[in-house]
Amino acid sequence: MTPPPARRRRRNEDDSAAPRLALPRRGSVRRSQMITTYGVGSLIAVDNESFVVSGIDDAHRSWTLDEAPIVHEHRLAHALGVRHFRLPPASEDTSKDGVRVRRFPLWHSCPSCQSLQHVRGFNPPPGKNVCTDCDDEPLVPSRFVMACEDGHLDDFPYWKWLHRKNREEGVAGLCGGRMGMRFSGQSASLRSVLVSCTCGVPEVSMEGAFRRSALSDLGVRCEGRRPWLKDAPAEFCAQTPRTLQRGSSSVWQPVLKSALSIPPWSDGLAAKLSKHWDNLRAYSSRAELEIYLKGAFPSDPTVTVDAVMKLLAAEQEEDPASGAESDTAAASRYQALRRQEYERLCAGNALRDKGREEQFVCEPPVSDASALAPFGVGRPMLVKRLREVRALKAFTRIADPEASVEGHEAPLSLTPTDWLPAMEVHGEGVFVRLDEERLDSWADSDTVVERVEQMRAYHDRVLRERAGDPAQAPASPATPRMVLLHTLSHILINEWSLGAGYPAASLRERLYADDTMAGSLIYTATSDSAGSLGGLVAQGEPRRLVDTLGSALRRSQWCSADPLCMETETGGANGINRAACHACVLLPETSCEHGNGLLDRALLVGTPESPDLGFFAHALVL
């Protein structure tokens, strides 16, 4: 067979002074999708082509962010070990910003001649993805890719899949033939996807390619490739590769970290000082600090010495592991971040005496909250103004999005950077806190402990299986307090979506559940028409909240899937739920912090056999 002619080069590779050609725009996505859907390492389909989104390495300028604003959230940046965050580039035609993508997968097929090979074999002209032997017929990217739980990504090994019988018989070396792919049309299953070769081996289908051990049985191992990172060397990898659909959600799941802007970082002063932090930390006396501020901010009366010293003191106090950069220290900082939010939500931050730039306004309701006492619910807090920053820390592959388990985190860059892509959301919410004395008494009940312990045991097993070293697996967060608050948040979101007109996907939960916290914040999570309009805050007024709680709990007493739903011992992904299903408790995945896991409505209302199991059972009787 005559080899194809060499591909034309775009410029003289030996001439380092030659100008760099401008890359064409392939498509556009919303800014928020660069965090949640099409982030670094994800696959994106544009027309008939497929690409992988490049990493954020500063050296390669894969993300051009000259016009994108900087997002400041000091506490979250400190917890994640970066200096600041950046908004993803806008998709406007006039913007010079953009994110580079790289063609992936590299194996394509031609629907006309049915040829299946690497894209170079079709010899397409620069900037196009066509088969030159078929009058520029558009090529079809491979439907199948290969990935592992460490985040590596590679093309599916079609040659090894087709010639596996020869390999079993000990025949070595490539066959020299040309592969093809066709669709029989007899069904929509993988059995109709047929791969062949001109060397004469029997035609095989793709049926069975998605078995967990399908590739390992062929002797295929992960090569440790990271196509989203330019010039990234292949890593050693001991994970078993898996076959995935190119458009499957299992190919890419984001690891998002978020924080609320709370005092003293919520009044806009920290953003003004963002370029001066290193200098400000160097001064130890008030006089030196005053001289520096007068020179740096000569005409800004809001930048005072007292306010800056308060921020510096808060920064020092909020660092529980100064200088440590281990995973344990990062987790400790993030947990401390949540505890600070909880304390501020409980204390409030009234609007009076606050400037227009204040991003956190939290006040108690004016009306009497004593009607909530029979439910064991304390005085709610109305969060009339809040700002949340969500940062893309890393991503995972293959991890089950409903397993409440984070897999191995793949990095966004080849070398550490001082920034991460992030989005900010402005909204409102309602903070609900349970009576801790009554909660502790209920959580010590033997029936409650036994029921939650079963959920915890299943979750611990999943975590050990997911971890590379079972001894290093994190402990399950399942406790009676956590499961109760989690399920309560779900039924409130469902009730407000039915009675207050909010789409469930526009609301989000934020749990505060450990030995010292017992609250839940439900807030708007979108910036569109379902955003901050005051409607959610109105639902937190005690009179309305009593009606909402009563209606939600009565609705939780019965599910259309009962008695199976209430009597099941292992529900949901990996059996980490009890009485919870899509007909009663589950929410859109974007609304839940734990992937719709660790839920049990029996802890709210009890069971027919054990009515006292429910924390709110007494309130329902009243």
Side-chain angles (χ1 to χ4, degrees):
M1 182 175 65
T2 304
R7 298 185 66 188
R8 293 176 291 174
R9 292 185 300 180
R10 294 189 177 184
R11 66 178 178 89
N12 185 1
E13 296 179 358
D14 296 331
D15 186 6
S16 58
R20 190 176 188 176
L21 296 179
L23 297 176
R25 288 186 179 270
R26 293 290 186 178
S28 63
V29 297
R30 296 192 301 273
R31 269 180 164 164
S32 60
Q33 290 181 308
M34 295 302 300
I35 304 295
T36 60
T37 311
Y38 300 121
V40 173
S42 66
L43 297 182
I44 178 171
V46 180
D47 296 330
N48 294 325
E49 301 178 84
S50 177
F51 304 92
V52 62
V53 180
S54 297
I56 62 173
D57 297 85
D58 294 330
H60 297 142
R61 293 281 292 175
S62 296
W63 285 51
T64 307
L65 301 172
D66 297 331
E67 300 176 5
I70 294 177
V71 177
H72 297 282
E73 176 43 55
H74 184 84
R75 294 164 54 252
L76 182 61
H78 180 66
L80 299 182
V82 297
R83 296 176 62 90
H84 60 266
F85 305 100
R86 299 295 298 269
L87 280 178
S91 58
E92 298 149 355
D93 294 336
T94 57
S95 175
K96 297 180 181 179
D97 289 356
V99 176
R100 292 192 180 182
V101 294
R102 307 179 189 280
R103 191 177 301 282
F104 190 88
L106 297 179
W107 275 71
H108 289 60
S109 62
C110 174
S112 181
C113 65
Q114 299 181 349
S115 178
L116 172 66
Q117 57 184 325
H118 194 284
V119 67
R120 288 195 304 263
F122 293 100
N123 195 32
K128 294 186 177 181
N129 194 40
V130 297
C131 178
T132 54
D133 294 336
C134 300
D135 297 328
D136 290 346
E137 177 75 20
L139 298 176
V140 178
S142 169
R143 283 177 53 188
F144 312 104
V145 296
M146 184 177 73
C148 78
E149 293 186 10
D150 280 354
H152 301 132
L153 188 65
D154 208 343
D155 283 278
F156 181 80
Y158 285 104
W159 192 92
K160 293 182 179 179
W161 178 257
L162 175 59
H163 296 80
R164 58 183 182 270
K165 292 185 178 180
N166 288 3
R167 296 170 62 85
E168 293 171 359
E169 296 171 359
V171 179
L174 297 177
C175 63
R178 184 171 182 175
M179 289 192 296
M181 175 180 285
R182 70 180 183 89
F183 303 90
S184 66
Q186 296 179 357
S187 68
S189 66
L190 294 176
R191 186 178 300 179
S192 295
V193 183
L194 303 172
V195 182
S196 61
C197 183
T198 57
C199 71
V201 295
E203 190 177 51
V204 300
S205 73
M206 292 297 297
E207 186 177 22
F210 286 84
R211 288 186 297 106
R212 182 177 293 271
S213 61
L215 297 180
S216 59
D217 291 344
L218 296 179
V220 177
R221 64 182 183 88
C222 179
E223 299 290 341
R225 292 198 173 97
R226 297 170 287 175
W228 66 95
L229 300 177
K230 184 179 180 181
D231 302 330
E235 294 182 318
F236 170 78
C237 182
Q239 295 286 349
T240 301
R242 296 270 303 277
T243 303
L244 299 175
Q245 289 268 16
R246 172 165 50 90
S248 169
S249 61
S250 296
V251 173
W252 188 86
Q253 302 96 27
V255 177
L256 299 174
K257 299 296 182 181
S258 65
L260 302 179
S261 296
I262 60 174
W265 307 99
S266 58
D267 59 358
L269 178 60
K272 295 180 181 179
L273 301 174
S274 60
K275 297 181 180 180
H276 304 272
W277 276 114
D278 292 338
N279 296 329
L280 294 173
R281 294 188 187 102
Y283 295 111
S284 56
S285 70
R286 181 185 179 92
E288 293 176 334
L289 194 61
E290 185 174 5
I291 294 173
Y292 179 83
L293 292 177
K294 286 183 177 180
F297 303 94
S299 58
D300 193 341
T302 63
V303 184
T304 63
V305 178
D306 291 335
V308 173
M309 292 186 67
K310 183 179 179 181
L311 288 183
L312 291 172
E315 180 187 44
Q316 186 68 25
E317 182 181 353
E318 291 175 0
D319 188 2
S322 179
E325 296 298 335
S326 65
D327 293 341
T328 303
S332 175
R333 287 197 297 266
Y334 195 69
Q335 184 63 21
L337 181 151
R338 283 295 179 102
R339 189 166 289 108
Q340 293 156 10
E341 291 179 1
Y342 179 77
E343 293 171 356
R344 178 54 63 177
L345 286 166
C346 293
N349 191 44
L351 182 59
R352 60 181 180 273
D353 301 328
K354 301 295 179 183
R356 296 180 60 183
E357 295 184 357
E358 178 62 44
Q359 297 167 336
F360 181 81
V361 176
C362 179
E363 299 175 338
V366 178
S367 57
D368 185 18
S370 59
L372 292 168
F375 291 94
V377 175
R379 183 185 63 176
M381 298 296 287
L382 308 181
V383 186
K384 298 181 178 180
R385 191 185 302 170
L386 65 81
R387 171 181 179 261
E388 181 195 26
V389 175
R390 301 176 194 159
L392 178 64
K393 178 190 176 187
F395 65 90
T396 63
R397 301 198 195 277
I398 301 180
D400 189 342
E402 296 184 356
S404 187
V405 182
E406 288 186 357
H408 175 85
E409 296 183 0
L412 304 184
S413 60
L414 191 58
T415 56
T417 62
D418 63 354
W419 67 279
L420 289 172
M423 286 293 297
E424 57 181 350
V425 175
H426 296 269
E428 60 183 3
V430 176
F431 177 66
V432 178
R433 184 182 179 187
L434 298 183
D435 183 340
E436 293 196 44
E437 182 177 349
R438 178 173 169 180
L439 184 59
D440 289 337
S441 176
W442 167 83
D444 290 337
S445 169
D446 292 339
T447 55
V448 173
V449 172
E450 181 181 358
R451 189 173 179 92
V452 176
E453 184 59 32
Q454 183 176 354
M455 299 172 63
R456 183 182 182 88
Y458 277 108
H459 196 204
D460 279 333
R461 174 180 56 82
V462 174
L463 290 169
R464 288 193 299 270
E465 292 175 353
R466 181 70 63 184
D469 181 5
Q472 300 296 324
S476 170
T479 62
R481 180 179 294 210
M482 180 268 172
V483 178
L484 174 68
L485 282 166
H486 190 199
T487 312
L488 175 62
S489 299
H490 276 232
I491 67 168
L492 286 176
I493 290 177
N494 275 328
E495 192 67 24
W496 279 333
S497 69
L498 293 172
Y502 282 88
S506 72
L507 301 178
R508 191 178 179 93
E509 67 178 2
R510 194 168 182 86
L511 300 179
Y512 303 90
D514 64 11
D515 294 339
T516 61
M517 300 187 292
S520 172
L521 173 66
I522 299 175
Y523 62 103
T524 55
T526 63
S527 56
D528 59 8
S529 59
S532 178
L533 298 175
L536 184 58
V537 167
Q539 303 303 316
E541 291 292 340
R543 178 179 57 81
R544 291 189 177 182
L545 188 55
V546 167
D547 294 339
T548 299
L549 278 170
S551 176
L553 291 171
R554 286 190 297 272
R555 201 185 303 274
S556 300
Q557 287 181 302
W558 179 255
C559 171
S560 59
D562 280 340
L564 295 178
C565 178
M566 181 61 78
E567 295 178 357
T568 184
E569 295 186 358
T570 56
N574 297 302
I576 60 176
N577 284 344
R578 290 295 297 263
C581 70
H582 285 282
C584 57
V585 172
L586 301 191
L587 292 175
E589 291 178 6
T590 54
S591 300
C592 179
E593 280 196 314
H594 293 276
N596 275 328
L598 303 177
L599 296 164
D600 185 10
R601 61 187 172 91
L603 297 183
L604 300 176
V605 297
T607 65
E609 297 78 14
S610 302
D612 293 337
L613 179 67
F615 179 82
F616 299 99
H618 178 69
L620 289 173
V621 172
L622 294 178

